[in-house]
Amino acid sequence: MSDVAVAGGGLIGLSTAWRAAQRGLSVTVVDDSPGTGASAAAAGMLAPVTEAGYREEALLRLGLASVERWPAFAADVERAGGTPVGLRTAGTLVVGFDEDDVRELTALHAYQRELGLDAERLTPREARRREPSLTPRVRGGLLVAGDHSVDGRALHAALLRAAQDAGVRLVRDRVTALRVDGGRAVGLETADGGTVAAGTVVLALGAHSGALPGMPPLPVRPVKGQILRLAGAGDLLEGTVRAVVRGRQVYLVPYAGDRLIVGATTEDRGFDPTVTAGGVHDLLHDAIDVVPGISELELVETLARWRPGTPDNAPLLGPGPLPGLVLATGHHRNGVLLTPVTAEVTAELLATGVLPEVAVPFTADRFGR
Ligand SMILES: Cc1cc2nc3c(=O)[nH]c(=O)nc-3n(C[C@H](O)[C@H](O)[C@H](O)COP(=O)(O)OP(=O)(O)OC[C@H]3O[C@@H](n4cnc5c(N)ncnc54)[C@H](O)[C@@H]3O)c2cc1C
């Protein structure tokens, strides 16, 4: 029997398992294909400021707490995992193309300043000086120096190694149910008919966390995202570029030498895994509008995965609806960003029974019983 069984070996489950093992707990992770969920699709933006929606201040604060932890976290994972995670600290540039966009950038900048956030308005010339490959049609920009990015897949690989070296046991099997005894979570049932018994169970199944047999349902739903990977980008972009083109959001994230990620659609289509012609068309069309040189690049991968969405776009952390069950899920658009803080607060709860203050606004009881 383990102290802790973690259901799901994506970025959230693995990082939590690793941190818990570092606290001296025995930990088992159960996942039939670790790292193939949303974590495989993520663009890797660590973007609390440019992702923040109006009236999402609590989530913004959690994101800021996490982005602050990122440099030390990345160094720690790289040391323990033995491979780089591709943290880029070049910042994020948001650009606008017409008067409406520029008005929106001005409003966004005012809101960010009101919250005391670090963001700088740029003229079109300043925006293009920073990113010379931008279309000359750019009318204005907003530079958020503290919004970074990381290579999500490299991070997952390093975390897997770090966790296993720290003693985390990986069971490659599908979780079929939560095992409950006397009203308390006591382990996980698996597809091979076995049980992983544990003192505490951590639910980290990403978009699949909403309905696990044996557990009361949780407000987590799949939010589909299609995303593209291109090769041959060289130094086309210095940092992340975001824009709204014909009302659609697009972002371009350079990573791993000559690679570039173009993302992403946002669709409520359940667990639909298809990459559609329209999705790829819209992403490429919008990306080429922003950086025309993208049309020369090689399209090397298209992928659709599901963000673990919640009603308020914020994660579910802390005690679950049953004794013995802890939640680390519902990270929606920000799971990579929130990996360090989630792992830290969840490991603290597992080791001491106390949920750190920063996570308290994100317990599941905010949605009622
Ligand atoms: C297109 C796209 C772009 C994104 N871009 C960003 C970004 O730039 N920045 C950012 O911060 N976030 C981004 N996200 C969000 C981020 O990817 C997620 O919030 C994060 O990966 C969630 O991690 P997770 O470990 O909770 O879930 P997942 O990575 O989905 O991991 C869940 C794991 O559970 C396993 N699993 C599921 N069901 C079972 C079962 N029954 N039994 C056993 N195992 C099971 C899966 O195999 C998987 O490994 C993006 C998401 C998408 C889809």
Side-chain angles (χ1 to χ4, degrees), residues 238-334:
E238 166 80 13
T240 298
V241 171
R242 306 181 66 130
V244 177
V245 182
R246 278 172 286 278
R248 289 190 298 256
Q249 299 248 8
V250 66
Y251 53 72
L252 316 171
V253 185
Y255 79 106
D258 78 332
R259 299 288 168 124
L260 188 74
I261 291 179
V262 175
T265 66
T266 301
E267 307 164 61
D268 263 315
R269 286 179 189 275
F271 286 104
D272 168 21
T274 47
V275 173
T276 62
V280 175
H281 169 271
D282 288 352
L283 289 171
L284 285 178
H285 183 272
D286 297 348
I288 291 168
D289 244 24
V290 180
V291 175
I294 283 179
S295 62
E296 304 296 325
L297 306 186
E298 182 188 0
L299 175 61
V300 288
E301 189 182 340
T302 61
L303 188 65
R305 285 292 184 273
W306 312 282
R307 305 172 184 92
T310 63
D312 61 1
N313 302 328
L316 296 171
L317 304 175
L322 296 177
L325 180 63
V326 164
L327 306 180
T329 188
H331 291 76
H332 196 215
R333 303 174 67 88
N334 290 301

Side-chain angles (χ1 to χ4, degrees), residues 7-14 30-47 51 156 173-176 204-209 212 223-227 251 253 263-265 303-308 328-339:
L11 287 175
I12 297 298
L14 267 190
V30 187
D31 193 321
D32 50 338
S33 47
T36 58
S39 300
M45 291 180 293
L46 311 175
E51 275 290 328
H156 189 275
D173 203 349
R174 196 163 55 81
V175 175
T176 51
L205 292 173
H208 291 88
S209 301
L212 182 65
V223 179
K224 180 180 170 185
Q226 301 185 49
I227 196 156
Y251 53 72
V253 185
T265 66
L303 188 65
R305 285 292 184 273
W306 312 282
R307 305 172 184 92
T329 188
H331 291 76
H332 196 215
R333 303 174 67 88
N334 290 301
V336 186
L337 165 66
L338 297 175
T339 291

Side-chain angles (χ1 to χ4, degrees), residues 87-363:
L87 178 67
R88 291 173 81 109
T89 53
T92 295
L93 178 65
V94 188
V95 293
F97 296 107
D98 57 27
E99 276 177 27
D100 285 349
D101 293 350
V102 170
R103 246 194 311 277
E104 176 58 27
L105 284 183
T106 305
L108 187 61
H109 188 225
Y111 175 65
Q112 289 166 340
R113 286 177 59 116
E114 197 181 301
L115 296 175
L117 302 172
D118 186 13
E120 183 191 349
R121 271 307 299 269
L122 301 186
T123 63
R125 184 189 294 256
E126 287 166 337
R128 293 196 70 225
R129 195 175 306 130
R130 184 185 149 84
E131 297 287 5
S133 63
L134 279 173
T135 168
R137 294 189 298 104
V138 163
R139 287 285 199 84
L142 189 60
L143 178 64
V144 180
D147 275 8
H148 305 317
S149 69
V150 71
D151 181 341
R153 291 180 183 177
L155 172 66
H156 189 275
L159 268 175
L160 186 57
R161 175 79 187 276
Q164 288 183 304
D165 284 357
V168 172
R169 187 168 72 104
L170 177 63
V171 172
R172 287 184 188 265
D173 203 349
R174 196 163 55 81
V175 175
T176 51
L178 181 71
R179 174 157 283 223
V180 178
D181 188 6
R184 184 183 168 85
V186 295
L188 294 167
E189 294 177 11
T190 53
D192 69 357
T195 299
V196 175
T200 307
V201 174
V202 176
L203 183 76
L205 292 173
H208 291 88
S209 301
L212 182 65
M215 185 190 77
L218 288 171
V220 178
R221 70 181 201 287
V223 179
K224 180 180 170 185
Q226 301 185 49
I227 196 156
L228 317 176
R229 286 172 187 247
L230 308 172
D235 48 15
L236 192 66
L237 290 180
E238 166 80 13
T240 298
V241 171
R242 306 181 66 130
V244 177
V245 182
R246 278 172 286 278
R248 289 190 298 256
Q249 299 248 8
V250 66
Y251 53 72
L252 316 171
V253 185
Y255 79 106
D258 78 332
R259 299 288 168 124
L260 188 74
I261 291 179
V262 175
T265 66
T266 301
E267 307 164 61
D268 263 315
R269 286 179 189 275
F271 286 104
D272 168 21
T274 47
V275 173
T276 62
V280 175
H281 169 271
D282 288 352
L283 289 171
L284 285 178
H285 183 272
D286 297 348
I288 291 168
D289 244 24
V290 180
V291 175
I294 283 179
S295 62
E296 304 296 325
L297 306 186
E298 182 188 0
L299 175 61
V300 288
E301 189 182 340
T302 61
L303 188 65
R305 285 292 184 273
W306 312 282
R307 305 172 184 92
T310 63
D312 61 1
N313 302 328
L316 296 171
L317 304 175
L322 296 177
L325 180 63
V326 164
L327 306 180
T329 188
H331 291 76
H332 196 215
R333 303 174 67 88
N334 290 301
V336 186
L337 165 66
L338 297 175
T339 291
V341 76
T342 300
E344 182 185 311
V345 301
T346 311
E348 179 72 19
L349 175 64
L350 293 167
T352 67
V354 178
L355 184 68
E357 201 58 39
V358 66
V360 169
F362 303 99
T363 54

